[in-house]
Amino acid sequence: MNTIANHITSLSHKCLIYADDIFVFSSNKFLYLATESLNLALIELKFIFNHQFFSAAYEKCISVIFTRHRYHNHQTHPT
């Protein structure tokens, strides 16, 4: 798991690991840039998992947005 975390972190994503759980996160002033960054991290994780013969419990995967702003609609791109 540390190899995965080091690889993800080297791609400018942030990563925390606890036992066999991995937490990938991003911080950005703009929500759409943070979500695009995380999508790239997820694509990279899928690639790593496939090549290292890991599997993910996708039913346990969730995404959470923490922000000080109130969004009335769930658009990811600014209008």
Side-chain angles (χ1 to χ4, degrees):
M1 291 297 279
N2 284 332
T3 304
I4 294 170
N6 290 338
H7 184 71
I8 294 298
T9 303
S10 72
L11 297 173
S12 75
H13 302 98
K14 297 168 186 93
C15 186
L16 297 172
I17 295 176
Y18 181 75
D20 63 347
D21 294 327
I22 188 167
F23 174 67
V24 179
F25 60 101
S26 178
S27 176
N28 198 297
K29 182 178 178 178
F30 300 103
L31 179 60
Y32 76 97
L33 291 176
T35 55
E36 286 179 10
S37 174
L38 287 175
N39 282 333
L40 292 174
L42 292 174
I43 291 168
E44 188 65 25
L45 273 175
K46 182 178 178 185
F47 178 79
I48 293 169
F49 284 0
N50 287 340
H51 283 78
Q52 297 295 327
F53 303 105
F54 287 119
S55 64
Y58 295 109
E59 65 276 3
K60 294 182 180 180
C61 296
I62 62 168
S63 63
V64 178
I65 298 173
F66 294 98
T67 181
R68 293 183 205 161
H69 302 284
R70 300 285 181 203
Y71 289 98
H72 298 289
N73 59 14
H74 296 290
Q75 287 182 296
T76 56
H77 292 280
T79 53

